[in-house]
Amino acid sequence: MAQMPDNGAPDEPHEREGSSTAPDADTPGSMERTGPPPVGDVPRATRIMAIANQKGGVGKTTTAVNLGACLAERGLKTLVIDLDPQANASTGLGIDVRAVDATIYDVLLHGVDLASVVVPSDSDPNLFTAPANLDLAGAEIELVPAFSRELKLRQALEPVRADYDYILVDCPPSLGLLTVNALAAATEVLVPIQCEYYALEGLGQLVHNVDLVQKNLNPALSLSTIVLVMYDARTKLADQVAQEVRSHFGDAVCRTIIPRSVRLSEAPSFGQSIIGFDPRSRGAIAYRELAKEVSHGAT
Ligand code: ATP
Ligand code: MG
């Protein structure tokens, strides 16, 4: 049975009530947890999750940013790697990508140390970002002649992976070399699926690519986590999609469902995660629940 954060009520009227477009930085509860993480939440080995779906606009970046912020809030040291030239995860986490000296592009193409491009978050001492910028758009082509081109990210992560509990990799909307690098470096794949018509279209191809990478490059890889996002309780279709996804992917589907919420789409323009922007919103509650569920599954 799906767990909706607040009984699945349509969110818009409730959410707009009393909420301006300004960030809600001073709201009590914006940092709910400052101590060590709950016992059992810390994975024995770093969990590296590639957040992938070749479809555009399905909530990959929103999930990378907000799951990352919520894991960090739980006391888990978390790195979000932006592997998309659109750099939405970087800006969504408050980074001015025009001002950074080096990005993940320099790591993948010029052998720059990953540690040297990592930017700590202003809002949480456990949260870190490896930013991207538009340079990365050239990487798909520039990587083609490179030696072990599929393993660039994996090699770059080797010296730093043990420094983190979670590493979330925000993939671009394609199955090209950048996504292959993420899959080759990851221990798990997290797929956000929009609760809409055609949601499952193209997933077969993604699953096939995960299988190929698992067989040829990364035997440890598993498609462990499916997250249903942009759920709208007002449509029957959303429930049908959720049911269909569950019948395909079974236990990999998280119980927590992320509702469609205006506040979630507003937060990035303030360079804040949803828990900094509006900590009591339905989106914040849902992503906190998701972080709890994901980290409870830690082994
Ligand atoms: P791309 O494939 O272009 O990288 P994406 O899969 O990363 O896209 P997002 O950027 O996370 O998708 O989301 C697409 C749009 O939908 C954004 O404007 C985002 O703010 C909005 N959005 C994401 N999740 C939600 C949600 N649960 N409720 C409302 N809007 C959302
Ligand atoms: Mg994105």
Side-chain angles (χ1 to χ4, degrees):
M1 180 62 195
Q3 278 186 350
M4 290 301 298
D6 58 359
N7 304 325
D11 78 339
E12 311 310 30
H14 156 78
E15 224 176 33
R16 289 212 183 104
E17 206 175 291
S19 53
S20 70
T21 50
D24 202 2
D26 296 332
T27 311
S30 61
M31 279 293 298
E32 281 198 338
R33 192 186 292 278
T34 49
V39 178
D41 269 20
V42 182
R44 266 177 295 188
T46 307
R47 291 178 77 184
I48 305 176
M49 307 181 90
I51 302 184
N53 189 331
Q54 77 272 28
K55 254 195 191 179
V58 296
K60 294 182 286 296
T61 303
T62 304
T63 299
V65 165
N66 293 307
L67 177 60
C70 292
L71 288 167
E73 186 190 49
R74 293 181 74 73
L76 297 156
K77 207 171 163 195
T78 303
L79 171 65
V80 176
I81 297 181
D82 193 346
L83 212 59
D84 186 345
Q86 299 177 98
N88 293 338
S90 309
T91 49
L93 285 162
I95 295 170
D96 177 0
V97 294
R98 289 161 308 179
V100 292
D101 293 332
T103 67
I104 198 74
Y105 169 82
D106 303 288
V107 173
L108 298 178
L109 270 300
H110 301 133
V112 168
D113 286 345
L114 181 58
S116 72
V117 310
V118 168
V119 181
S121 160
D122 289 339
S123 58
D124 191 315
N126 286 315
L127 184 60
F128 300 82
T129 310
N133 63 16
L134 215 58
D135 290 346
L136 199 58
E140 294 275 2
I141 303 290
E142 290 172 58
L143 275 172
V144 169
F147 180 69
S148 61
R149 60 194 179 183
E150 298 91 355
L151 301 177
K152 294 291 179 194
L153 183 62
R154 185 191 178 115
Q155 288 160 354
L157 274 175
E158 222 34 72
V160 300
R161 59 187 289 162
D163 296 343
Y164 300 96
D165 298 309
Y166 281 84
I167 299 176
L168 307 181
V169 187
D170 184 29
C171 293
S174 82
L175 292 172
L177 262 179
L178 287 170
T179 298
V180 171
N181 262 270
L183 297 178
T187 54
E188 298 170 51
V189 188
L190 183 158
V191 183
I193 296 182
Q194 226 175 326
C195 295
E196 283 188 356
Y197 201 53
Y198 294 134
L200 291 168
E201 205 182 60
L203 275 182
Q205 214 183 344
L206 175 63
V207 170
H208 179 62
N209 279 38
V210 171
D211 279 349
L212 280 178
V213 171
Q214 199 251 342
K215 285 199 183 83
N216 296 297
L217 295 168
N218 184 8
L221 185 67
S222 76
L223 202 170
S224 63
T225 313
I226 307 270
V227 183
L228 294 161
V229 300
M230 304 196 208
Y231 178 87
D232 186 340
R234 290 167 294 194
T235 73
K236 277 216 174 83
L237 184 64
D239 276 329
Q240 283 167 15
V241 172
Q243 265 178 26
E244 204 177 335
V245 171
R246 283 178 203 286
S247 70
H248 269 76
F249 293 101
D251 285 350
V253 185
C254 290
R255 277 176 288 113
T256 309
I257 296 183
I258 308 298
R260 185 174 283 284
S261 148
V262 170
R263 299 299 267 169
L264 277 170
S265 60
E266 290 171 338
S269 56
F270 294 93
Q272 286 188 312
S273 75
I274 192 64
I275 56 171
F277 179 65
D278 192 348
R280 286 174 300 191
S281 64
R282 298 178 64 226
I285 294 166
Y287 273 107
R288 279 197 174 110
E289 244 344 274
L290 182 65
K292 194 167 158 190
E293 187 178 348
V294 166
S295 56
H296 280 184
T299 46

